[in-house]
Amino acid sequence: MQQRLPSLLARPIAFAHRGARAHAPENTLEAFTLALRLGATGLESDVWLTSDGVPVLDHDGVVRVGRRRKRAIRDLQRADLPEHVPALVDLLERCGHDYDLSLDLKDVAAGPVVIDVVREVAPTMLPRLWLCDEDVGRLQALRPVDPDVRLVNSTRLKRMKEGPERRAAVLAELGIDAVNMHHTDWTGGLTTLFHRFQRFCLAWDLQFEHLIRPIVRMGMDGIFSDHVDRMVDAITAELGPA
């Protein structure tokens, strides 16, 4: 069996995509708590700001109000949202702080607010908070807000018009910690390249063990999956028990 390529972490973070999405309603407190019980070492969600500035966790940013009407989260106050939509502080209070947390910044103003909430409620979690954005400039603006938060460039290989080596160098120069791409974009050569610049490598949409195990061997630092049980089993099969 092929040995694992060098990684920046001893084990890849097992991120539960939108909580244990394959096992419970996505982005609910029940899904997040179940994911941790199933062995996830990280949780993932998307974050939006309500009209009164509260960061909440939802994928589309649109909720149903009443029987038929849909409204954008940014146009509603926190108190007007359906009960199943958790605020970030709800997640931290229910699930504690002993895991990594990846948040896709769907609202351009969400980054500093999220950092402030985590700093107030769970300050020890800041080095395990991964904030994801496709826009490098927006990520760069977050670096002075906190030196410890992990900043993640979410992208695709085809979008790196300057090439992956130049992208890795720019991320390192700007203090952006990681690159997150679809698992089909990654190769062992690319993980080695980004690791040479001390950038973390994250891969998403990994739903089956036969896809996860080769990604682990590539030296990936973080994996995103809807199926927490499969993800944990595949990592264990490659690396042994934690």
Side-chain angles (χ1 to χ4, degrees):
M1 181 182 294
Q2 176 188 343
Q3 289 187 332
R4 187 187 184 203
L5 292 172
S7 176
L8 299 184
L9 298 175
R11 297 178 74 87
I13 303 166
F15 285 106
H17 181 236
R18 306 185 203 170
R21 186 182 181 220
H23 314 279
E26 66 178 44
N27 290 316
T28 61
L29 293 179
E30 291 72 22
F32 295 125
T33 55
L34 177 58
L36 295 175
R37 287 202 303 270
L38 291 173
T41 56
L43 299 177
E44 185 276 345
S45 189
D46 307 282
V47 62
W48 302 81
L49 293 182
T50 61
S51 63
D52 50 343
V54 178
V56 298
L57 308 178
D58 183 78
H59 178 60
D60 297 320
V62 176
V63 295
R64 188 177 299 278
V65 179
R67 291 187 175 182
R68 297 182 179 179
R69 192 178 181 192
K70 292 185 177 181
R71 297 281 303 278
I73 285 176
R74 62 171 57 96
D75 295 331
L76 295 170
Q77 293 194 353
R78 170 70 183 109
D80 298 327
L81 294 181
E83 290 184 1
H84 72 269
V85 178
L88 174 58
V89 69
D90 298 331
L91 172 69
L92 298 175
E93 291 176 351
R94 171 73 72 87
C95 295
H97 318 143
D98 192 21
Y99 53 90
D100 287 75
L101 178 61
S102 173
L103 296 176
D104 195 350
L105 300 174
K106 292 297 187 73
D107 190 309
V108 296
V113 181
V114 167
I115 293 171
D116 285 345
V117 168
V118 175
R119 184 182 291 127
E120 180 178 350
V121 178
T124 60
M125 198 180 200
L126 287 169
R128 289 175 285 117
L129 176 64
W130 304 74
L131 298 182
C132 306
D133 198 318
E134 63 181 6
D135 189 287
V136 171
R138 288 196 294 262
L139 289 169
Q140 181 184 8
L142 290 176
R143 184 75 287 161
V145 179
D146 189 274
D148 297 320
V149 166
R150 303 295 190 181
L151 302 177
V152 183
N153 180 208
S154 296
T155 187
R156 294 297 302 265
L157 187 60
K158 63 184 178 182
R159 296 178 190 158
M160 297 183 187
K161 304 303 183 183
E162 73 279 27
E165 184 167 14
R166 181 58 186 158
R167 176 65 61 92
V170 168
L171 296 182
E173 179 182 351
L174 299 179
I176 297 171
D177 303 277
V179 61
N180 185 20
M181 297 194 295
H182 192 265
H183 70 89
T184 56
D185 287 336
W186 285 107
T187 65
L190 278 177
T191 59
T192 300
L193 169 65
F194 279 96
H195 284 157
R196 179 158 56 86
F197 286 88
Q198 295 297 297
R199 300 304 96 185
F200 295 97
C201 300
L202 311 178
W204 55 277
D205 192 24
L206 284 151
Q207 312 302 351
F208 302 100
E209 185 171 347
H210 73 275
L211 297 175
I212 298 172
R213 294 184 65 168
I215 283 286
V216 173
R217 292 195 292 270
M218 286 180 196
M220 204 60 53
D221 302 297
I223 294 169
F224 296 83
S225 179
D226 299 344
H227 296 269
V228 177
D229 50 351
R230 298 175 186 174
M231 175 171 56
V232 171
D233 288 347
I235 293 172
T236 301
E238 288 295 323
L239 303 178

